[in-house]
Amino acid sequence: MEHWAGFLLFVLLSIAGWRTFARMRVPAAPVLGGMVFVMAASLISMPLCLPSWLRFVMSVTLGISIGSRAQVRIDRKTAGTAFCFVLLVVGGSLVIGRALFHLGIPYRTAFFASLLGGLNEMVFMAQEFEIDSVQVVLFQTVRMCLLLAVIPVLARRLPASERHPRANADTAAALSRFDWGVLLLCSTALSLLLSWLHVPAGKLLGAALVTALYTRTSPFKPRLHPMWHSAALSFIGGSAGMQVTAVGLLSLPGLIVPLLAYLCLTALAVALAYLLVRRAGGCDALTALFSASMGGLSPSIAAADAMGADVAAVTAFQILRYFSVIILALTLGYLL
């Protein structure tokens, strides 16, 4: 009974945050609203529950949204930009880790706390390698929440000429119930297979790959219902908000200097990544901003989706960041 009560509370808070922020005209309202409302409830120890099946539904929904607009073209210029982007992410993580070590954070903890990847994955790996996961959680959470809050605000200030041009109304036929059934069945099957094979972000990637293939080979176009799409984005934001705990906040005062240095260096890495994607990659400013975001994988893509960026390009850069940091984390875990 408590399980269902916590689940219902999570859903209500996520949707309430989305609707409230939408009324206030806050950018990326579904993601940020869900995150803030659930985070507030988490801080006062309300009994929240996010079941694994809902995480799966969220991932598949976001994957379908991404796959239906996958139009990334790989050429020499794009490949060169992607390679430089990976070098920037890896090099930035190592430089930030070294700086945290010199500011008094234990050596191994400093490097795992500084990795510019996903919070859940970094914390899990820190636990696997018996590293102080409490400090890793704190640094990773602060980075994720601040970037998820700041990037949409910056994006909203961009002039219309700097934004990704919205596509014209799609004239392709919508999917029938049978087509939706086939798409959902195939997306779910590949997502489950990749998850079983322990592929990172397998659920998201599986649905995105199937939908992209379906979109390219079929005259039909998947269109998620706007209300369901926004609700799923609010759940993704809520899942990010659940990561913030009162225990983590209580340890903040003793780590103010390392945290400030960490955030300043992260901001520098984001700025450099933005310039790289904008100038070398040729992306519009809105897409470059979300591509350069070093927040969580799903929330960053969801926020880009909500604000009309080129989601396919953003996803490509976010996936590159995600996998390069996972490889770096595994390498550091065995070498340090």
Side-chain angles (χ1 to χ4, degrees):
M1 189 65 181
E2 291 181 3
H3 170 84
W4 284 105
F7 162 64
L8 181 60
L9 183 60
F10 171 83
V11 170
L12 291 176
L13 286 170
S14 298
I15 293 177
W18 153 40
R19 301 304 295 171
T20 301
F21 275 41
R23 284 180 175 273
M24 296 167 59
R25 299 184 182 278
V26 174
V31 182
L32 294 183
M35 183 180 76
V36 170
F37 272 50
V38 172
M39 180 172 63
S42 177
L43 288 174
I44 59 175
S45 301
M46 294 184 71
L48 299 171
C49 177
L50 177 56
S52 58
W53 64 264
L54 182 58
R55 289 184 183 273
F56 184 86
V57 170
M58 288 155 42
S59 296
V60 170
T61 299
L62 187 57
I64 291 174
S65 176
I66 293 166
S68 64
R69 286 176 283 175
Q71 298 176 347
V72 177
R73 299 287 190 273
I74 302 297
D75 52 25
R76 288 185 178 182
K77 181 180 179 181
T78 307
T81 303
F83 179 72
C84 293
F85 181 82
V86 170
L87 290 181
L88 176 60
V89 171
V90 171
S93 296
L94 294 175
V95 169
I96 296 171
R98 191 72 182 178
L100 290 183
F101 169 66
H102 285 295
L103 289 172
I105 305 298
Y107 196 66
R108 302 181 79 203
T109 303
F111 280 98
F112 270 81
S114 67
L115 292 174
L116 300 171
L119 185 149
N120 291 330
E121 292 76 19
M122 295 306 102
V123 173
F124 175 75
M125 290 189 194
Q127 292 171 344
E128 288 291 300
F129 290 110
E130 298 182 352
I131 296 169
D132 184 354
S133 59
V134 174
Q135 288 194 7
V136 173
V137 167
L138 178 62
F139 279 87
Q140 294 284 348
T141 301
V142 169
R143 171 178 58 85
M144 181 189 71
C145 291
L146 282 182
L147 286 174
L148 287 177
V150 171
I151 294 294
V153 174
L154 294 177
R156 190 172 189 176
R157 294 179 177 274
L158 292 173
S161 60
E162 297 292 323
R163 295 171 176 268
H164 177 65
R166 291 185 180 274
N168 296 328
D170 201 345
T171 57
L175 268 66
S176 66
R177 291 184 179 180
F178 175 78
D179 293 313
W180 268 116
V182 172
L183 178 62
L184 291 174
L185 180 63
C186 293
S187 297
T188 301
L190 184 57
S191 297
L192 289 172
L193 175 62
L194 294 180
S195 297
W196 181 70
L197 293 173
H198 301 291
V199 174
K203 295 184 286 293
L204 173 67
L205 291 177
L209 288 172
V210 168
T211 307
L213 181 62
Y214 194 95
T215 302
R216 291 293 183 88
T217 59
S218 168
F220 303 106
K221 182 72 67 176
R223 295 192 188 94
L224 290 169
H225 192 283
M227 292 295 286
W228 169 247
H229 187 209
S230 295
L233 296 184
S234 73
F235 299 153
I236 291 172
S239 67
M242 282 186 68
Q243 306 294 335
V244 184
T245 63
V247 175
L249 290 182
L250 289 175
S251 60
L252 275 174
L255 296 169
I256 290 297
V257 173
L259 270 171
L260 288 176
Y262 171 66
L263 292 175
C264 289
L265 289 171
T266 300
L268 177 61
V270 170
L272 292 174
Y274 169 80
L275 291 174
L276 174 66
V277 177
R278 180 82 171 97
R279 303 282 175 81
C283 292
D284 62 277
L286 183 66
T287 299
L289 189 59
F290 281 105
S291 297
S293 173
M294 306 292 179
L297 175 71
S298 295
S300 294
I301 297 172
D305 192 5
M307 294 201 68
D310 184 349
V311 181
V314 171
T315 301
F317 282 105
Q318 289 291 338
I319 293 284
L320 279 173
R321 175 178 66 87
Y322 183 83
F323 279 97
S324 62
V325 172
I326 283 180
I327 294 171
L328 177 60
L330 290 171
T331 304
L332 291 174
Y334 286 111
L335 292 180
L336 294 181

